[in-house]
Amino acid sequence: MVVKLQRPILVGGLGLSFSLWMLQSWHDSIVQVGEFGLLSALAVGGGLWLFQQNRPKDSLEQLDGMLVDRVTGEIAIAKSEAVINQLAQEAENHLALKTLREQVAQLLLELDRQEIKVAVTGGKSVGKSTLMRVLQNVETRNLVSLEETAPLFREVSDNSDAAILAEVAKSDFVLFLTNGDLTDSEFQTLQQIKAANQPTILVFNKQDQYLTNESASILLSLKQRMQGNVVATAASPIAIKVRKHEADGSVQEWMEQPAPAIQQLRQQLDEVLAQQGQRLVWLTTIRKAGLLKAEAKNWLNGTRRDRATPIIEQYQWIAAAAAFANPVPALDILATAAINAQMVMDLGNIYQQKFSLEQAQTVAGTMGSLMLKLGLVELSTKAISTVLKSNALTFVAGGVVQGVSAAYLTRVAGLSLVEYFQQQEIAIDSGTGLNLENLRQTLQKVFGQNQQIGFLQGFVKQGMKRLLPEVQPIEVVSVQKAVG
C-alpha cells in the first residue's frame, strides 16, 4: 500500500514522526488562523532536530539486529520437544503429554504460516475498536489479521492483565494504543512486551484532542521514553466547524468530519509486514516454543518434586536420629555426614545432575559453609531451642535440639537443591559446577519460606514424635522473636 499525502511539500521539510501533527496544524490554519502558527512550527522544528540527534531504533532496526530465521525456529521447537520427551520418559502416563505434543505439531506448521497476526491492545477508552474498524475499512496488506484484546488495567482482583498479555504474546506484531503520555502501568506493560522480543508500534491515538504544541510535546516524550516506534493518529477526529463566505455577504456554517488521520501508521505497518512478515512469523514461533518449553518444564519439575519430597523427608529424619544418638554441632552434621552427601546424590539423579560420592560431599560441604555464613544454623537452632524450652522434660534431653536442628537444616538443604536444580537446563549434567551466588540466594529464599512460626512448630512436633515417642506432645510457644 502506498500512501499519497495531500500536501507532499510537508514531507520534505518534516520528519515522518511529526507529519501528522503538521498536517493537522496546517488544516486548522485553513479553517481558522491561530496565533500559535509560526511559533508552533518553530518549536516543532527545534524538537525534531534535537530528537534526530538521538533517534531510537524502530521496529525494523530492532528486528535486523536479531537472529531470526527458520533454522532458529526449528531449534527452539526441538528444545521444547526434548523437555516433553523427558517428561514422557519419567512419567509416561502424564495427563499433559497429549496436549503438549499437539502444540509441538502445531508449532511445526506455524513455521510456514502466511497470515500475519496483529494484536491491537491498550487501556480502556483509547480507541482500539475505532482504529480496528478504520484499518479494516482501508486497503491493507493481504493476509493480515487484526485482533483486538480486552482493555488492560481494569480495576479487578483477578489476573486479567496477565491473561490478556498471554494472548498478545501469540501475535506477530503489536499495536499498543495510548491517548496521552504513558502512565506507569502502560510503561511497565510495554517493557514486558519488549522483553518478550515482540515488535511493537506505540500508537498515540486521539492526538487531535490536544492543542498542537501539546500534542507535539507528548509525541516527543513518548519517543524519548520508549526508544522505539511511536506514531500519532486520530482514528476518529473531532468534527470541525467550517465557515463559507458567499458573494452576497452571507455566511454559511456547518460541522465537517475530517477523515481519519492514520496515514503514517498505515505506511509503517505496511512496511514492517511487507519487509519482515516471514521473520515476524518465525519470531512468534520461537517465542511460542519458549513458552511451551517452560510449560513442559513446569510439569516435569512437578513430577520430579513429587519424587524428591519423600527422599528429603527420609534423610532429614535419618539425620535427626543420628544427631540425637550422638550429639555434635549441627554444622558438622550438615557439612561432613555421609547422610547429606547421599541425599545430594539421590536428588541429583532425579534432576539429571549426576554426582560422584566425592562431588556430593563437596556440594554438601559447600552448602554447609553457606548456611554458616548466612547465619541459618544459629537462627534455626535458636528457634528450635525456644520451642523446646516450653517443656522441661524434653529440653533436658541434650540431643533433642541437635536432632531436630539437623533434621531442619537437612530439609532446608534438600529443598534448596531442588529449587536450584529446577532452574537448570533439562538433562545437562552439572557435576560440581555450582553457581554459588544462585545457591546462596536459593538458600535464603527457601529458609525464609520454612521459618514461618506455624511450620516450625509443626516440624518440632514431628521431630519429637520420632525422637521421643514416649513423651506427650509439647505445648509450643511463640518463636517470633527467635526467628525474626
Side-chain angles (χ1 to χ4, degrees), residues 245-280:
H245 295 269
E246 301 290 352
D248 61 2
S250 63
V251 178
Q252 295 185 16
E253 293 183 347
W254 67 92
M255 300 300 293
E256 186 174 288
Q257 181 67 45
I262 62 167
Q263 295 93 334
Q264 184 189 359
L265 174 61
R266 288 174 60 190
Q267 180 179 350
Q268 290 205 19
L269 185 58
D270 273 4
E271 286 178 355
V272 172
L273 300 185
Q275 299 176 25
Q276 302 285 356
Q278 185 60 72
R279 297 183 71 207
L280 289 173

PDB file of all heavy atoms in Angstrom, residues 245-280:
ATOM      1  N   HIS A 245     -17.927  32.159   3.244  1.00  0.00           N
ATOM      2  CA  HIS A 245     -18.439  33.499   2.963  1.00  0.00           C
ATOM      3  C   HIS A 245     -18.919  33.535   1.515  1.00  0.00           C
ATOM      4  O   HIS A 245     -18.156  33.317   0.572  1.00  0.00           O
ATOM      5  CB  HIS A 245     -17.358  34.553   3.189  1.00  0.00           C
ATOM      6  CG  HIS A 245     -16.932  34.658   4.625  1.00  0.00           C
ATOM      7  ND1 HIS A 245     -17.522  35.523   5.521  1.00  0.00           N
ATOM      8  CD2 HIS A 245     -15.977  33.976   5.333  1.00  0.00           C
ATOM      9  CE1 HIS A 245     -16.941  35.394   6.707  1.00  0.00           C
ATOM     10  NE2 HIS A 245     -15.998  34.461   6.610  1.00  0.00           N
ATOM     11  N   GLU A 246     -20.219  33.819   1.335  1.00  0.00           N
ATOM     12  CA  GLU A 246     -20.800  33.876  -0.003  1.00  0.00           C
ATOM     13  C   GLU A 246     -20.576  35.252  -0.623  1.00  0.00           C
ATOM     14  O   GLU A 246     -20.227  36.225   0.066  1.00  0.00           O
ATOM     15  CB  GLU A 246     -22.309  33.587   0.074  1.00  0.00           C
ATOM     16  CG  GLU A 246     -22.654  32.234   0.665  1.00  0.00           C
ATOM     17  CD  GLU A 246     -22.266  31.091  -0.253  1.00  0.00           C
ATOM     18  OE1 GLU A 246     -21.863  31.328  -1.402  1.00  0.00           O
ATOM     19  OE2 GLU A 246     -22.375  29.921   0.199  1.00  0.00           O
ATOM     20  N   ALA A 247     -20.764  35.338  -1.929  1.00  0.00           N
ATOM     21  CA  ALA A 247     -20.551  36.591  -2.661  1.00  0.00           C
ATOM     22  C   ALA A 247     -21.514  37.680  -2.205  1.00  0.00           C
ATOM     23  O   ALA A 247     -21.205  38.872  -2.248  1.00  0.00           O
ATOM     24  CB  ALA A 247     -20.708  36.341  -4.165  1.00  0.00           C
ATOM     25  N   ASP A 248     -22.711  37.265  -1.757  1.00  0.00           N
ATOM     26  CA  ASP A 248     -23.696  38.256  -1.327  1.00  0.00           C
ATOM     27  C   ASP A 248     -23.482  38.712   0.107  1.00  0.00           C
ATOM     28  O   ASP A 248     -24.285  39.449   0.668  1.00  0.00           O
ATOM     29  CB  ASP A 248     -25.106  37.705  -1.497  1.00  0.00           C
ATOM     30  CG  ASP A 248     -25.319  36.439  -0.652  1.00  0.00           C
ATOM     31  OD1 ASP A 248     -24.380  36.048   0.069  1.00  0.00           O
ATOM     32  OD2 ASP A 248     -26.406  35.827  -0.740  1.00  0.00           O
ATOM     33  N   GLY A 249     -22.390  38.273   0.706  1.00  0.00           N
ATOM     34  CA  GLY A 249     -22.086  38.693   2.068  1.00  0.00           C
ATOM     35  C   GLY A 249     -22.597  37.760   3.144  1.00  0.00           C
ATOM     36  O   GLY A 249     -22.261  37.931   4.317  1.00  0.00           O
ATOM     37  N   SER A 250     -23.400  36.818   2.754  1.00  0.00           N
ATOM     38  CA  SER A 250     -23.913  35.871   3.749  1.00  0.00           C
ATOM     39  C   SER A 250     -22.825  34.860   4.127  1.00  0.00           C
ATOM     40  O   SER A 250     -21.840  34.678   3.398  1.00  0.00           O
ATOM     41  CB  SER A 250     -25.138  35.133   3.198  1.00  0.00           C
ATOM     42  OG  SER A 250     -24.772  34.367   2.059  1.00  0.00           O
ATOM     43  N   VAL A 251     -23.021  34.258   5.270  1.00  0.00           N
ATOM     44  CA  VAL A 251     -22.055  33.284   5.779  1.00  0.00           C
ATOM     45  C   VAL A 251     -22.782  31.972   6.080  1.00  0.00           C
ATOM     46  O   VAL A 251     -23.828  31.974   6.742  1.00  0.00           O
ATOM     47  CB  VAL A 251     -21.362  33.785   7.054  1.00  0.00           C
ATOM     48  CG1 VAL A 251     -20.403  32.721   7.587  1.00  0.00           C
ATOM     49  CG2 VAL A 251     -20.619  35.091   6.776  1.00  0.00           C
ATOM     50  N   GLN A 252     -22.227  30.898   5.578  1.00  0.00           N
ATOM     51  CA  GLN A 252     -22.764  29.575   5.854  1.00  0.00           C
ATOM     52  C   GLN A 252     -21.794  28.811   6.750  1.00  0.00           C
ATOM     53  O   GLN A 252     -20.589  28.862   6.540  1.00  0.00           O
ATOM     54  CB  GLN A 252     -22.999  28.794   4.555  1.00  0.00           C
ATOM     55  CG  GLN A 252     -24.059  29.408   3.652  1.00  0.00           C
ATOM     56  CD  GLN A 252     -24.331  28.520   2.455  1.00  0.00           C
ATOM     57  OE1 GLN A 252     -23.965  27.339   2.452  1.00  0.00           O
ATOM     58  NE2 GLN A 252     -24.964  29.094   1.435  1.00  0.00           N
ATOM     59  N   GLU A 253     -22.344  28.124   7.739  1.00  0.00           N
ATOM     60  CA  GLU A 253     -21.517  27.344   8.657  1.00  0.00           C
ATOM     61  C   GLU A 253     -22.067  25.926   8.763  1.00  0.00           C
ATOM     62  O   GLU A 253     -23.278  25.718   8.727  1.00  0.00           O
ATOM     63  CB  GLU A 253     -21.501  27.973  10.059  1.00  0.00           C
ATOM     64  CG  GLU A 253     -20.795  29.311  10.124  1.00  0.00           C
ATOM     65  CD  GLU A 253     -20.734  29.854  11.537  1.00  0.00           C
ATOM     66  OE1 GLU A 253     -21.453  29.301  12.427  1.00  0.00           O
ATOM     67  OE2 GLU A 253     -19.979  30.803  11.773  1.00  0.00           O
ATOM     68  N   TRP A 254     -21.170  24.976   8.887  1.00  0.00           N
ATOM     69  CA  TRP A 254     -21.589  23.595   9.113  1.00  0.00           C
ATOM     70  C   TRP A 254     -20.437  22.824   9.760  1.00  0.00           C
ATOM     71  O   TRP A 254     -19.282  23.256   9.740  1.00  0.00           O
ATOM     72  CB  TRP A 254     -22.026  22.923   7.800  1.00  0.00           C
ATOM     73  CG  TRP A 254     -20.914  22.719   6.802  1.00  0.00           C
ATOM     74  CD1 TRP A 254     -20.122  21.635   6.647  1.00  0.00           C
ATOM     75  CD2 TRP A 254     -20.483  23.649   5.809  1.00  0.00           C
ATOM     76  NE1 TRP A 254     -19.220  21.817   5.645  1.00  0.00           N
ATOM     77  CE2 TRP A 254     -19.424  23.049   5.089  1.00  0.00           C
ATOM     78  CE3 TRP A 254     -20.888  24.961   5.431  1.00  0.00           C
ATOM     79  CZ2 TRP A 254     -18.772  23.685   4.047  1.00  0.00           C
ATOM     80  CZ3 TRP A 254     -20.244  25.576   4.376  1.00  0.00           C
ATOM     81  CH2 TRP A 254     -19.188  24.932   3.704  1.00  0.00           C
ATOM     82  N   MET A 255     -20.759  21.694  10.367  1.00  0.00           N
ATOM     83  CA  MET A 255     -19.764  20.824  11.002  1.00  0.00           C
ATOM     84  C   MET A 255     -19.310  19.766   9.996  1.00  0.00           C
ATOM     85  O   MET A 255     -20.129  19.139   9.327  1.00  0.00           O
ATOM     86  CB  MET A 255     -20.325  20.151  12.244  1.00  0.00           C
ATOM     87  CG  MET A 255     -20.786  21.119  13.325  1.00  0.00           C
ATOM     88  SD  MET A 255     -19.463  22.200  13.922  1.00  0.00           S
ATOM     89  CE  MET A 255     -18.401  21.011  14.743  1.00  0.00           C
ATOM     90  N   GLU A 256     -18.025  19.611   9.891  1.00  0.00           N
ATOM     91  CA  GLU A 256     -17.473  18.661   8.924  1.00  0.00           C
ATOM     92  C   GLU A 256     -16.597  17.640   9.669  1.00  0.00           C
ATOM     93  O   GLU A 256     -15.817  17.995  10.543  1.00  0.00           O
ATOM     94  CB  GLU A 256     -16.635  19.405   7.886  1.00  0.00           C
ATOM     95  CG  GLU A 256     -16.145  18.523   6.750  1.00  0.00           C
ATOM     96  CD  GLU A 256     -15.455  19.332   5.671  1.00  0.00           C
ATOM     97  OE1 GLU A 256     -16.151  20.066   4.925  1.00  0.00           O
ATOM     98  OE2 GLU A 256     -14.206  19.250   5.596  1.00  0.00           O
ATOM     99  N   GLN A 257     -16.757  16.383   9.303  1.00  0.00           N
ATOM    100  CA  GLN A 257     -15.997  15.307   9.934  1.00  0.00           C
ATOM    101  C   GLN A 257     -14.728  15.032   9.124  1.00  0.00           C
ATOM    102  O   GLN A 257     -14.801  14.543   8.002  1.00  0.00           O
ATOM    103  CB  GLN A 257     -16.828  14.034  10.014  1.00  0.00           C
ATOM    104  CG  GLN A 257     -16.126  12.854  10.682  1.00  0.00           C
ATOM    105  CD  GLN A 257     -15.878  13.102  12.164  1.00  0.00           C
ATOM    106  OE1 GLN A 257     -16.768  13.571  12.867  1.00  0.00           O
ATOM    107  NE2 GLN A 257     -14.680  12.792  12.628  1.00  0.00           N
ATOM    108  N   PRO A 258     -13.553  15.337   9.674  1.00  0.00           N
ATOM    109  CA  PRO A 258     -12.305  15.068   8.928  1.00  0.00           C
ATOM    110  C   PRO A 258     -12.095  13.561   8.752  1.00  0.00           C
ATOM    111  O   PRO A 258     -12.611  12.740   9.517  1.00  0.00           O
ATOM    112  CB  PRO A 258     -11.215  15.671   9.835  1.00  0.00           C
ATOM    113  CG  PRO A 258     -11.940  16.582  10.766  1.00  0.00           C
ATOM    114  CD  PRO A 258     -13.285  15.986  10.970  1.00  0.00           C
ATOM    115  N   ALA A 259     -11.347  13.238   7.760  1.00  0.00           N
ATOM    116  CA  ALA A 259     -11.002  11.832   7.527  1.00  0.00           C
ATOM    117  C   ALA A 259     -10.047  11.362   8.619  1.00  0.00           C
ATOM    118  O   ALA A 259      -9.274  12.147   9.177  1.00  0.00           O
ATOM    119  CB  ALA A 259     -10.349  11.674   6.161  1.00  0.00           C
ATOM    120  N   PRO A 260     -10.088  10.080   8.972  1.00  0.00           N
ATOM    121  CA  PRO A 260      -9.154   9.560   9.979  1.00  0.00           C
ATOM    122  C   PRO A 260      -7.706   9.830   9.595  1.00  0.00           C
ATOM    123  O   PRO A 260      -7.314   9.659   8.434  1.00  0.00           O
ATOM    124  CB  PRO A 260      -9.457   8.059   9.986  1.00  0.00           C
ATOM    125  CG  PRO A 260     -10.858   7.946   9.490  1.00  0.00           C
ATOM    126  CD  PRO A 260     -11.006   9.036   8.468  1.00  0.00           C
ATOM    127  N   ALA A 261      -6.926  10.260  10.560  1.00  0.00           N
ATOM    128  CA  ALA A 261      -5.511  10.563  10.326  1.00  0.00           C
ATOM    129  C   ALA A 261      -4.671   9.357  10.746  1.00  0.00           C
ATOM    130  O   ALA A 261      -4.176   9.280  11.872  1.00  0.00           O
ATOM    131  CB  ALA A 261      -5.096  11.815  11.093  1.00  0.00           C
ATOM    132  N   ILE A 262      -4.553   8.408   9.851  1.00  0.00           N
ATOM    133  CA  ILE A 262      -3.804   7.182  10.167  1.00  0.00           C
ATOM    134  C   ILE A 262      -2.770   6.867   9.086  1.00  0.00           C
ATOM    135  O   ILE A 262      -2.251   5.756   9.020  1.00  0.00           O
ATOM    136  CB  ILE A 262      -4.754   5.974  10.325  1.00  0.00           C
ATOM    137  CG1 ILE A 262      -5.488   5.712   9.002  1.00  0.00           C
ATOM    138  CG2 ILE A 262      -5.728   6.180  11.472  1.00  0.00           C
ATOM    139  CD1 ILE A 262      -6.198   4.377   8.976  1.00  0.00           C
ATOM    140  N   GLN A 263      -2.475   7.850   8.234  1.00  0.00           N
ATOM    141  CA  GLN A 263      -1.593   7.580   7.102  1.00  0.00           C
ATOM    142  C   GLN A 263      -0.230   7.042   7.527  1.00  0.00           C
ATOM    143  O   GLN A 263       0.279   6.070   6.954  1.00  0.00           O
ATOM    144  CB  GLN A 263      -1.404   8.867   6.252  1.00  0.00           C
ATOM    145  CG  GLN A 263      -2.675   9.347   5.572  1.00  0.00           C
ATOM    146  CD  GLN A 263      -3.402  10.369   6.435  1.00  0.00           C
ATOM    147  OE1 GLN A 263      -3.261  10.369   7.660  1.00  0.00           O
ATOM    148  NE2 GLN A 263      -4.179  11.236   5.794  1.00  0.00           N
ATOM    149  N   GLN A 264       0.366   7.698   8.527  1.00  0.00           N
ATOM    150  CA  GLN A 264       1.709   7.277   8.933  1.00  0.00           C
ATOM    151  C   GLN A 264       1.691   5.880   9.525  1.00  0.00           C
ATOM    152  O   GLN A 264       2.580   5.061   9.275  1.00  0.00           O
ATOM    153  CB  GLN A 264       2.294   8.262   9.941  1.00  0.00           C
ATOM    154  CG  GLN A 264       3.732   7.927  10.329  1.00  0.00           C
ATOM    155  CD  GLN A 264       4.240   8.778  11.478  1.00  0.00           C
ATOM    156  OE1 GLN A 264       3.525   9.633  11.979  1.00  0.00           O
ATOM    157  NE2 GLN A 264       5.465   8.534  11.900  1.00  0.00           N
ATOM    158  N   LEU A 265       0.661   5.582  10.311  1.00  0.00           N
ATOM    159  CA  LEU A 265       0.548   4.249  10.882  1.00  0.00           C
ATOM    160  C   LEU A 265       0.401   3.201   9.787  1.00  0.00           C
ATOM    161  O   LEU A 265       1.067   2.152   9.824  1.00  0.00           O
ATOM    162  CB  LEU A 265      -0.647   4.181  11.833  1.00  0.00           C
ATOM    163  CG  LEU A 265      -0.972   2.799  12.400  1.00  0.00           C
ATOM    164  CD1 LEU A 265       0.207   2.258  13.206  1.00  0.00           C
ATOM    165  CD2 LEU A 265      -2.232   2.850  13.264  1.00  0.00           C
ATOM    166  N   ARG A 266      -0.441   3.470   8.808  1.00  0.00           N
ATOM    167  CA  ARG A 266      -0.617   2.523   7.705  1.00  0.00           C
ATOM    168  C   ARG A 266       0.693   2.298   6.962  1.00  0.00           C
ATOM    169  O   ARG A 266       1.044   1.168   6.616  1.00  0.00           O
ATOM    170  CB  ARG A 266      -1.687   3.050   6.731  1.00  0.00           C
ATOM    171  CG  ARG A 266      -3.102   3.000   7.256  1.00  0.00           C
ATOM    172  CD  ARG A 266      -4.053   3.663   6.294  1.00  0.00           C
ATOM    173  NE  ARG A 266      -4.034   3.014   4.994  1.00  0.00           N
ATOM    174  CZ  ARG A 266      -4.624   3.516   3.903  1.00  0.00           C
ATOM    175  NH1 ARG A 266      -5.253   4.674   3.966  1.00  0.00           N
ATOM    176  NH2 ARG A 266      -4.578   2.867   2.761  1.00  0.00           N
ATOM    177  N   GLN A 267       1.421   3.375   6.728  1.00  0.00           N
ATOM    178  CA  GLN A 267       2.671   3.252   5.996  1.00  0.00           C
ATOM    179  C   GLN A 267       3.691   2.413   6.774  1.00  0.00           C
ATOM    180  O   GLN A 267       4.295   1.491   6.226  1.00  0.00           O
ATOM    181  CB  GLN A 267       3.250   4.638   5.707  1.00  0.00           C
ATOM    182  CG  GLN A 267       4.564   4.589   4.939  1.00  0.00           C
ATOM    183  CD  GLN A 267       5.102   5.979   4.645  1.00  0.00           C
ATOM    184  OE1 GLN A 267       4.414   6.979   4.846  1.00  0.00           O
ATOM    185  NE2 GLN A 267       6.328   6.047   4.169  1.00  0.00           N
ATOM    186  N   GLN A 268       3.862   2.729   8.067  1.00  0.00           N
ATOM    187  CA  GLN A 268       4.858   1.994   8.850  1.00  0.00           C
ATOM    188  C   GLN A 268       4.455   0.538   9.037  1.00  0.00           C
ATOM    189  O   GLN A 268       5.294  -0.365   8.948  1.00  0.00           O
ATOM    190  CB  GLN A 268       5.043   2.666  10.217  1.00  0.00           C
ATOM    191  CG  GLN A 268       5.742   4.017  10.125  1.00  0.00           C
ATOM    192  CD  GLN A 268       6.443   4.368  11.429  1.00  0.00           C
ATOM    193  OE1 GLN A 268       6.710   3.506  12.254  1.00  0.00           O
ATOM    194  NE2 GLN A 268       6.750   5.640  11.606  1.00  0.00           N
ATOM    195  N   LEU A 269       3.173   0.309   9.292  1.00  0.00           N
ATOM    196  CA  LEU A 269       2.710  -1.063   9.487  1.00  0.00           C
ATOM    197  C   LEU A 269       2.896  -1.875   8.210  1.00  0.00           C
ATOM    198  O   LEU A 269       3.365  -3.020   8.247  1.00  0.00           O
ATOM    199  CB  LEU A 269       1.242  -1.060   9.904  1.00  0.00           C
ATOM    200  CG  LEU A 269       0.632  -2.421  10.263  1.00  0.00           C
ATOM    201  CD1 LEU A 269       1.412  -3.075  11.394  1.00  0.00           C
ATOM    202  CD2 LEU A 269      -0.833  -2.255  10.652  1.00  0.00           C
ATOM    203  N   ASP A 270       2.565  -1.282   7.078  1.00  0.00           N
ATOM    204  CA  ASP A 270       2.731  -1.997   5.809  1.00  0.00           C
ATOM    205  C   ASP A 270       4.195  -2.279   5.507  1.00  0.00           C
ATOM    206  O   ASP A 270       4.547  -3.342   4.996  1.00  0.00           O
ATOM    207  CB  ASP A 270       2.118  -1.185   4.663  1.00  0.00           C
ATOM    208  CG  ASP A 270       0.633  -1.480   4.501  1.00  0.00           C
ATOM    209  OD1 ASP A 270       0.101  -2.237   5.328  1.00  0.00           O
ATOM    210  OD2 ASP A 270       0.016  -0.961   3.560  1.00  0.00           O
ATOM    211  N   GLU A 271       5.072  -1.323   5.852  1.00  0.00           N
ATOM    212  CA  GLU A 271       6.498  -1.537   5.620  1.00  0.00           C
ATOM    213  C   GLU A 271       7.016  -2.707   6.456  1.00  0.00           C
ATOM    214  O   GLU A 271       7.749  -3.566   5.964  1.00  0.00           O
ATOM    215  CB  GLU A 271       7.280  -0.262   5.961  1.00  0.00           C
ATOM    216  CG  GLU A 271       7.118   0.855   4.942  1.00  0.00           C
ATOM    217  CD  GLU A 271       7.874   2.099   5.359  1.00  0.00           C
ATOM    218  OE1 GLU A 271       8.436   2.102   6.484  1.00  0.00           O
ATOM    219  OE2 GLU A 271       7.899   3.072   4.586  1.00  0.00           O
ATOM    220  N   VAL A 272       6.620  -2.729   7.730  1.00  0.00           N
ATOM    221  CA  VAL A 272       7.069  -3.806   8.602  1.00  0.00           C
ATOM    222  C   VAL A 272       6.573  -5.155   8.105  1.00  0.00           C
ATOM    223  O   VAL A 272       7.333  -6.120   7.991  1.00  0.00           O
ATOM    224  CB  VAL A 272       6.592  -3.567  10.053  1.00  0.00           C
ATOM    225  CG1 VAL A 272       6.885  -4.792  10.915  1.00  0.00           C
ATOM    226  CG2 VAL A 272       7.267  -2.337  10.640  1.00  0.00           C
ATOM    227  N   LEU A 273       5.289  -5.228   7.788  1.00  0.00           N
ATOM    228  CA  LEU A 273       4.711  -6.511   7.391  1.00  0.00           C
ATOM    229  C   LEU A 273       5.222  -6.972   6.029  1.00  0.00           C
ATOM    230  O   LEU A 273       5.440  -8.170   5.811  1.00  0.00           O
ATOM    231  CB  LEU A 273       3.182  -6.402   7.367  1.00  0.00           C
ATOM    232  CG  LEU A 273       2.533  -6.020   8.704  1.00  0.00           C
ATOM    233  CD1 LEU A 273       1.015  -6.061   8.584  1.00  0.00           C
ATOM    234  CD2 LEU A 273       2.995  -6.947   9.812  1.00  0.00           C
ATOM    235  N   ALA A 274       5.441  -6.031   5.113  1.00  0.00           N
ATOM    236  CA  ALA A 274       5.912  -6.411   3.781  1.00  0.00           C
ATOM    237  C   ALA A 274       7.367  -6.856   3.803  1.00  0.00           C
ATOM    238  O   ALA A 274       7.748  -7.828   3.152  1.00  0.00           O
ATOM    239  CB  ALA A 274       5.736  -5.228   2.820  1.00  0.00           C
ATOM    240  N   GLN A 275       8.207  -6.151   4.575  1.00  0.00           N
ATOM    241  CA  GLN A 275       9.631  -6.430   4.568  1.00  0.00           C
ATOM    242  C   GLN A 275      10.038  -7.517   5.567  1.00  0.00           C
ATOM    243  O   GLN A 275      11.034  -8.206   5.360  1.00  0.00           O
ATOM    244  CB  GLN A 275      10.408  -5.143   4.874  1.00  0.00           C
ATOM    245  CG  GLN A 275      10.183  -4.034   3.855  1.00  0.00           C
ATOM    246  CD  GLN A 275      10.893  -2.746   4.254  1.00  0.00           C
ATOM    247  OE1 GLN A 275      11.879  -2.769   4.981  1.00  0.00           O
ATOM    248  NE2 GLN A 275      10.390  -1.617   3.797  1.00  0.00           N
ATOM    249  N   GLN A 276       9.259  -7.646   6.644  1.00  0.00           N
ATOM    250  CA  GLN A 276       9.673  -8.547   7.716  1.00  0.00           C
ATOM    251  C   GLN A 276       8.612  -9.588   8.069  1.00  0.00           C
ATOM    252  O   GLN A 276       8.729 -10.252   9.099  1.00  0.00           O
ATOM    253  CB  GLN A 276      10.000  -7.731   8.982  1.00  0.00           C
ATOM    254  CG  GLN A 276      11.074  -6.683   8.805  1.00  0.00           C
ATOM    255  CD  GLN A 276      12.459  -7.309   8.738  1.00  0.00           C
ATOM    256  OE1 GLN A 276      12.612  -8.508   8.901  1.00  0.00           O
ATOM    257  NE2 GLN A 276      13.472  -6.493   8.480  1.00  0.00           N
ATOM    258  N   GLY A 277       7.597  -9.729   7.246  1.00  0.00           N
ATOM    259  CA  GLY A 277       6.490 -10.613   7.565  1.00  0.00           C
ATOM    260  C   GLY A 277       6.906 -12.026   7.933  1.00  0.00           C
ATOM    261  O   GLY A 277       6.496 -12.567   8.956  1.00  0.00           O
ATOM    262  N   GLN A 278       7.755 -12.642   7.111  1.00  0.00           N
ATOM    263  CA  GLN A 278       8.159 -14.018   7.375  1.00  0.00           C
ATOM    264  C   GLN A 278       8.979 -14.120   8.648  1.00  0.00           C
ATOM    265  O   GLN A 278       8.816 -15.058   9.440  1.00  0.00           O
ATOM    266  CB  GLN A 278       8.980 -14.552   6.200  1.00  0.00           C
ATOM    267  CG  GLN A 278       9.340 -16.029   6.325  1.00  0.00           C
ATOM    268  CD  GLN A 278       8.120 -16.923   6.407  1.00  0.00           C
ATOM    269  OE1 GLN A 278       7.425 -17.120   5.433  1.00  0.00           O
ATOM    270  NE2 GLN A 278       7.853 -17.473   7.590  1.00  0.00           N
ATOM    271  N   ARG A 279       9.845 -13.149   8.882  1.00  0.00           N
ATOM    272  CA  ARG A 279      10.654 -13.167  10.108  1.00  0.00           C
ATOM    273  C   ARG A 279       9.781 -12.958  11.341  1.00  0.00           C
ATOM    274  O   ARG A 279      10.070 -13.494  12.411  1.00  0.00           O
ATOM    275  CB  ARG A 279      11.743 -12.091  10.037  1.00  0.00           C
ATOM    276  CG  ARG A 279      12.741 -12.305   8.906  1.00  0.00           C
ATOM    277  CD  ARG A 279      13.829 -11.268   8.940  1.00  0.00           C
ATOM    278  NE  ARG A 279      14.728 -11.477  10.073  1.00  0.00           N
ATOM    279  CZ  ARG A 279      15.420 -10.516  10.669  1.00  0.00           C
ATOM    280  NH1 ARG A 279      15.284  -9.263  10.273  1.00  0.00           N
ATOM    281  NH2 ARG A 279      16.227 -10.777  11.671  1.00  0.00           N
ATOM    282  N   LEU A 280       8.710 -12.170  11.203  1.00  0.00           N
ATOM    283  CA  LEU A 280       7.793 -11.991  12.314  1.00  0.00           C
ATOM    284  C   LEU A 280       7.150 -13.316  12.699  1.00  0.00           C
ATOM    285  O   LEU A 280       6.989 -13.628  13.878  1.00  0.00           O
ATOM    286  CB  LEU A 280       6.715 -10.968  11.942  1.00  0.00           C
ATOM    287  CG  LEU A 280       7.153  -9.500  11.838  1.00  0.00           C
ATOM    288  CD1 LEU A 280       6.010  -8.648  11.303  1.00  0.00           C
ATOM    289  CD2 LEU A 280       7.622  -8.974  13.177  1.00  0.00           C
TER     290      LEU A 280
END
